[in-house]
């Protein structure tokens, strides 16, 4: 009897995520309540975001500014939704995690664009800050290199800053598709961090690409935070940073804890699957809170004079683009 139990434990503790039917079958009353509450949180987060989108469609002209605000403010509801799907369907957790990673990579680029669009676009940003000094010794790359000289806002500098975030928005979806293909083929495993496995190389490359993308965002933020104080750019940037830490570092820490034996096996969930479950459940609660806070900071009254200025900028820029 004990041998059979041991074989069962070995099977579950080293197996892939169970099917959704197995999870539903083993749910007890506390788990049903927990799943129901978390699902309700995800649904409310999406409803709040849809209401915010309707508000932006009514109050903000059809500009890049409105589109970037929708992309950035939608990060928390999207992450909550993918985490909720991964919680109910464990076998889809790999796909939902990749979807979250791809969306947030685009959000990193869009957040930089949003700060620029608050000035009316690239040309208005350049006119406002042309030939002014900019601090490049910022986190995460050069925060300790205080001896670095100040740069100057120019068209070339603007191109490099946008390229720094765009490379992540482009490379991460490509690498995630490549990872998904390897996973379907059975040659990619999150538990395999040996030099011969692809996981360590893909994660290392993504880590370097992410650090490079975060650097220009810090440069632009330090430049505009004083000018955009009335647009609540500081709390918006804080929410963006918190979302990044929760989606990236939290999952990594829990996964490392599971691999080191800090999370026990609980059939039908292996330690790594349990770590993923913990991450998804925590993310739903955290993203629900961030969605509520985002509604406060992103839903603001737009001054009619400000909207007229944006519309006039669009009309003057259209002949130049033709």
């Amino acid at each position: 009897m004990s041998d059979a139990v041991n074989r069962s434990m070995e099977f579950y503790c080293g197996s892939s995520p169970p099917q959704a039917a197995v999870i539903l079958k083993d749910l007890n009353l506390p788990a049903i309540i927990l799943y129901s509450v978390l699902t309700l949180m995800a649904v409310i987060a999406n409803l709040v975001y849809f209401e915010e989108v309707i508000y932006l469609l009514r109050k903000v002209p059809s500009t890049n500014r409105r589109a970037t605000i929708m992309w950035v403010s939608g990060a928390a509801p999207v992450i909550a939704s993918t985490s909720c799907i991964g919680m109910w369907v464990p076998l889809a957790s790999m796909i939902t995690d990749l979807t979250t990673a791809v969306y947030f990579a685009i959000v990193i680029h869009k957040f930089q664009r949003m700060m620029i669009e608050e000035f009316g676009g690239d040309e208005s940003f350049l006119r406002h800050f042309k030939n002014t000094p900019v601090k490049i010794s910022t986190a995460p790359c050069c925060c300790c290199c205080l001896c670095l000289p100040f740069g100057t806002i120019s068209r070339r500098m603007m191109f490099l800053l946008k390229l720094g975030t765009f490379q992540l928005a482009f490379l991460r979806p490509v690498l995630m598709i490549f990872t998904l293909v390897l996973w379907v083929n059975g040659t990619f495993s999150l538990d395999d961090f040996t030099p011969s496995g692809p996981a360590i190389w893909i994660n290392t490359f993504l880590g370097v690409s992410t650090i490079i993308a975060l650097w220009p965002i810090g440069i632009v933020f330090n430049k505009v935070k004083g000018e955009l104080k009335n647009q609540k750019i500081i709390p918006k940037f804080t929410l963006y940073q918190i979302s990044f830490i929760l989606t990236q570092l939290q999952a990594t820490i829990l996964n490392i804890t599971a691999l080191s034996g800090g999370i026990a096996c609980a059939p039908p969930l292996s330690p790594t699957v349990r770590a993923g479950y913990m991450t998804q459940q925590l993310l739903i609660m955290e993203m629900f809170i961030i969605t509520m806070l985002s509604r406060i900071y992103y839903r603001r009254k737009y001054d009619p004079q400000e909207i007229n200025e944006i519309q006039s900028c669009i009309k003057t820029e259209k002949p130049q683009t033709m």
Side-chain angles (χ1 to χ4, degrees), residues 41 45 48-49 52 72-80 104 107 235-247 250 282-298:
M41 284 183 174
V48 170
Y49 174 66
E52 182 182 341
V72 175
S73 60
V78 168
I79 296 171
F104 205 87
V107 166
K236 289 176 182 177
F237 186 75
T238 303
L239 288 177
Y240 148 77
Q241 285 186 313
I242 293 174
S243 300
F244 175 79
I245 292 172
L246 293 176
T247 54
Q250 182 174 256
L282 288 172
L283 280 176
I284 293 173
M285 293 183 285
E286 293 157 354
M287 294 302 117
F288 173 79
I289 297 173
I290 290 177
T291 300
M292 298 301 142
L293 294 175
S294 296
R295 185 183 184 277
I296 298 173
Y297 295 120
Y298 283 95

Side-chain angles (χ1 to χ4, degrees), residues 9-20 22-23 26 35 83 85-94 96-97 183 189-191 251 254-282:
M9 289 290 291
E10 291 176 359
F11 171 77
Y12 282 117
C13 291
S15 66
S16 59
Q19 295 181 351
V22 177
I23 295 295
D26 293 342
Y35 276 50
S83 299
I85 294 173
M87 180 183 68
W88 283 103
V89 188
L91 285 173
S93 58
M94 182 71 175
T96 57
D97 291 345
W183 177 65
S189 175
L190 292 173
D191 302 340
L254 287 174
N255 194 38
I256 293 175
T257 303
L259 293 174
S260 61
I263 298 177
C265 172
L269 303 178
S270 65
T272 53
V273 175
R274 283 192 68 195
Y277 248 53
M278 293 177 186
T279 301
Q280 291 157 356
Q281 292 172 353
L282 288 172

Side-chain angles (χ1 to χ4, degrees), residues 8-314:
S8 178
M9 289 290 291
E10 291 176 359
F11 171 77
Y12 282 117
C13 291
S15 66
S16 59
Q19 295 181 351
V22 177
I23 295 295
L24 294 174
K25 183 179 179 181
D26 293 342
L27 287 180
N28 51 25
L29 182 59
I32 293 174
I33 296 174
L34 175 63
Y35 276 50
S36 300
V37 171
L38 293 176
T39 303
L40 182 62
M41 284 183 174
V43 171
I44 293 175
N46 280 277
L47 292 176
V48 170
Y49 174 66
F50 290 147
E51 190 268 340
E52 182 182 341
V53 168
I54 294 173
Y55 177 84
L56 292 171
L57 291 173
R58 294 175 55 189
K59 299 295 183 180
V60 183
S62 179
T63 61
N64 292 331
R65 183 188 198 180
R66 185 175 72 181
T68 53
I69 292 174
M70 289 181 181
W71 269 98
V72 175
S73 60
V78 168
I79 296 171
S81 300
T82 55
S83 299
C84 185
I85 294 173
M87 180 183 68
W88 283 103
V89 188
L91 285 173
S93 58
M94 182 71 175
I95 298 175
T96 57
D97 291 345
L98 295 182
T99 303
T100 299
V102 170
Y103 188 90
F104 205 87
I106 299 174
V107 166
I108 290 175
H109 177 65
K110 291 293 184 180
F111 191 90
Q112 183 196 56
R113 292 298 310 158
M114 185 187 72
M115 292 188 288
I116 296 174
E117 291 296 335
E118 287 290 352
F119 288 92
D122 293 345
E123 297 299 326
S124 299
F125 184 87
L126 285 171
R127 285 196 301 268
H128 190 85
F129 292 108
K130 188 176 181 180
N131 296 327
T132 58
V134 58
K135 182 180 180 182
I136 61 176
S137 56
T138 60
C141 290
C142 303
C143 56
C144 299
C145 304
L146 301 179
C147 59
L148 288 176
F150 279 66
T152 304
I153 292 295
S154 61
R155 196 172 297 275
R156 181 173 179 271
M157 173 68 80
M158 279 283 296
F159 173 76
L160 293 175
L161 291 174
K162 291 190 292 184
L163 182 63
T165 55
F166 179 77
Q167 55 86 23
L168 179 65
F170 174 76
L171 289 176
R172 176 161 280 187
V174 173
L175 287 176
M176 291 299 100
I177 293 174
F178 180 65
T179 301
L180 189 59
V181 172
L182 293 178
W183 177 65
V184 172
N185 191 50
T187 55
F188 181 88
S189 175
L190 292 173
D191 302 340
D192 183 15
F193 285 97
T194 60
S196 60
I200 188 171
W201 300 107
I202 292 176
N203 290 331
T204 301
F205 191 81
L206 283 176
V208 174
S209 178
T210 302
I211 291 174
I212 294 174
L214 295 178
W215 188 23
I217 285 190
I219 293 174
V220 175
F221 173 72
N222 287 332
K223 189 65 180 175
V224 306
K225 63 181 179 181
E227 304 280 344
L228 298 180
K229 189 177 293 183
N230 292 334
Q231 281 76 24
K232 299 184 175 70
I233 193 62
I234 296 177
K236 289 176 182 177
F237 186 75
T238 303
L239 288 177
Y240 148 77
Q241 285 186 313
I242 293 174
S243 300
F244 175 79
I245 292 172
L246 293 176
T247 54
Q248 303 296 318
L249 296 183
Q250 182 174 256
T252 302
I253 292 172
L254 287 174
N255 194 38
I256 293 175
T257 303
L259 293 174
S260 61
I263 298 177
C265 172
L269 303 178
S270 65
T272 53
V273 175
R274 283 192 68 195
Y277 248 53
M278 293 177 186
T279 301
Q280 291 157 356
Q281 292 172 353
L282 288 172
L283 280 176
I284 293 173
M285 293 183 285
E286 293 157 354
M287 294 302 117
F288 173 79
I289 297 173
I290 290 177
T291 300
M292 298 301 142
L293 294 175
S294 296
R295 185 183 184 277
I296 298 173
Y297 295 120
Y298 283 95
R299 182 188 173 118
R300 64 182 179 88
K301 292 184 178 180
Y302 291 86
D303 188 17
Q305 182 180 358
E306 181 184 358
I307 294 177
N308 292 333
E309 291 177 357
I310 297 173
Q311 290 175 332
S312 63
C313 290
I314 298 171

